[in-house]
Amino acid sequence: MPESERNPLIERMAGEGISRRAFMKYCATLASLMALPAGAGRAMAEALTRAARPSVIWLSFQECTGCTEAITRSHSPTLESLILETISLDYHHTLQAASGEAAEHAREEAMKQHFGKYLVVVDGSVPMKDGGVYSTIAGISNHDMLMDTVKGAAAVIAVGTCATYGGLPKARPNPTGAVAISDLVRDKPIVNIPGCPPIPVVMTGVIAHYLTFGRLPELDRLLRPRAFYGETIHDRCYRRPFYDQGKFAKTFDDAGARRGWCLFELGCKGPVTYNACASVKWNDATSWPVESGHGCIGCSEPDFWDAGGFYRALSLPADPLKGMAAAAAAGVVVGAVVSVANRARKAEVRAGHETATLADLDK
Amino acid sequence: MNELEFLTWVRGPGMNIAVSIFVLGVLWRLFEIYSLGRKADLAPGRERAGASGWHTIGRRMLPPPGMVKRSPVSYIGGYVFHIGLFLIVFFFAPHIKLVEDIVGLSWPALPSPVIDAVTMITLAAMVAVLIDRINHPVKRFLSGFEDWFTWTVTFLPVLTGYLAVKHLGLPYTTLLSLHILSVEILLIVLPFTKLFHAFTTFGSRWYTGKIHGHRGVPV
């Protein structure tokens, strides 16, 4: 049997000791997470084990590799990583063995062979300042590589907050002129999977959806899959009842914090952050930031890095107010000036006053 | 500008601008008003003025005889929404947190369900006084742009605050931003409109009472 027609996922699963039952369960979970109709799990399982799978080119630009780490190494071996590795991942800096010319050749080869059909996954933002010199691969600027690669792409998946919104490289003062993928790619279907890093299952969910139905899942205004980004962390938080009762932890280790009270006053950004952490959790559903006692920092939201202190409650000013003394002084000065003007006018009126006489009344 | 950027702006630069203008405006107006001065009254007082000023502050909180019956919506609605606003602004826990953050003072809050109820009643009372103002020919005749405008800028923070707390209609991020923005608008216009009565009302009542006492009509 030629290499391309074998069923690598089934073989890999068998090799890793993952049963068919576990795989079916996983697909059913994926389908239910994405609120797909009953039966979609089976369809997904079939699609995922089908031999022909699209080529995937993974581009890494201004990023920290945290997204790849999260997806491939969160819990080894995960079904997520197996799915990722067994799709035809033809180009990925971190995961591919080839380097230099050979690596770039692999990308060009994949583009040529699968033109119009391959998926492009991007993590990292693209620097636009000074001709994009701040990040290059094989002497090619990120911008040029992106635009060249997406030409033949069926769809683009932006992974992580850097690729989706610019992320940390775009944080003020944005020294490299970093932009998001969706700022550059306008004519291809794009799905944004924000998070720093994003949740692995969200990523595989989107890929599984694409493989099963041949199209991207339903997206919201910010191009995020609705199924995973439809609700805030706060909406799904297990500490939410305490918020509703007005019970808040005041410090990270007081009695309230130990009882699991709401972390709102400690700066939790859960109420304004759309992500699935509260329902899907992390590291094989072991825990997630709020469960470990730290508020949400809003890492899957645009420009979260510049959204005020992580430890300042949402209802407080983002940063301490400045210039109050100057405002007060200015108020007193303006008041004094107006007061002088008023007195001058009063004096003027008094000086111009003419006493009325009986004769005036006859006029 | 996305939702979080909008919220960050109203929590950051927007809040700074609004509070600065508020502080500047309040000091300016107070200084302006109290420095106007009055000519010294050379006539001896008809009676000892006593505490007439303070009495007037209290007395004017009560409706003149018969007026509640003649204009029940203005009086009852007026009391209700003023007391309601006071409770909401100063006794809702997040508001106290905000004051504590800015000036370092804090005091006990009222339970959220109580504030919820007060908010509903306040909103209803404000709508009632507005309808009364529209329906009553004399009140309508006496009303100008500033009256409608000040009603609106007072009403919006209460409405958006309630919606934000209850997560109604729009995403919480947007509602919280709109609430903060509406309060910022209120802060900016307060010193320069009729709303400045929040600062001057007691001073002017005291002055009126004091003058009346001096002229022989103490209360």
Side-chain angles (χ1 to χ4, degrees), chain A residues 232 234-235 240-241 243-246 264 271 274, chain B residues 88 92 94-95 111-121 123 157-177 179:
Chain A
T232 64
H234 188 61
D235 289 334
R240 176 62 185 268
Y243 171 88
D244 293 331
Q245 291 166 26
F264 183 88
Y274 290 81
Chain B
I88 297 164
F92 184 43
H95 299 163
S112 299
V114 174
I115 296 291
D116 278 355
V118 170
T119 309
M120 288 303 289
I121 295 166
L123 287 170
V158 191
L159 179 70
T160 53
Y162 185 78
L163 295 178
V165 169
K166 293 286 166 197
H167 296 239
L168 294 174
L170 291 169
Y172 176 75
T173 316
T174 312
L175 285 172
L176 181 62
S177 311
H179 175 59

Side-chain angles (χ1 to χ4, degrees), chain A residues 97-150:
Chain A
S99 62
E101 281 298 317
E104 292 312 305
H105 181 69
R107 180 173 67 88
E108 285 156 16
E109 200 53 34
M111 284 169 60
K112 214 185 291 167
Q113 254 185 37
H114 307 284
F115 196 85
K117 283 183 279 187
Y118 59 85
L119 283 176
V120 173
V121 179
V122 190
D123 64 338
S125 61
V126 178
M128 297 299 283
K129 215 167 150 188
D130 303 325
V133 295
Y134 299 105
S135 177
T136 62
I137 298 159
I140 308 165
S141 75
N142 289 169
H143 172 266
D144 292 351
M145 185 177 279
L146 174 71
M147 299 322 272
D148 185 44
T149 311
V150 298

Side-chain angles (χ1 to χ4, degrees), chain B residues 27-67:
Chain B
L27 285 169
W28 161 0
R29 295 297 310 282
L30 285 177
F31 208 91
E32 181 183 348
I33 292 166
Y34 288 110
S35 69
L36 273 176
R38 287 283 182 270
K39 263 193 218 163
D41 189 346
L42 300 176
R46 294 281 293 273
E47 295 201 21
R48 285 167 59 87
S52 188
W54 293 102
H55 289 167
T56 304
I57 292 177
R59 275 283 288 266
R60 298 256 167 125
M61 297 237 193
L62 304 173
M67 284 308 286

Side-chain angles (χ1 to χ4, degrees), chain A residues 32-44:
Chain A
S32 78
L33 270 177
M34 300 185 76
L36 295 169
R42 180 170 292 275
M44 268 188 179

Side-chain angles (χ1 to χ4, degrees), chain A residues 31-89:
Chain A
S32 78
L33 270 177
M34 300 185 76
L36 295 169
R42 180 170 292 275
M44 268 188 179
E46 276 167 24
L48 288 173
T49 51
R50 214 174 291 145
R53 52 191 61 259
S55 163
V56 172
I57 298 177
W58 185 307
L59 302 173
S60 297
F61 297 145
Q62 290 195 125
E63 46 83 43
C64 68
T65 314
C67 297
T68 303
E69 289 285 338
I71 288 158
T72 58
R73 308 249 299 262
S74 58
H75 181 75
S76 193
T78 59
L79 278 159
E80 283 96 330
S81 68
L82 281 177
I83 289 171
L84 257 187
E85 287 168 26
T86 47
I87 50 177
S88 182
L89 193 52

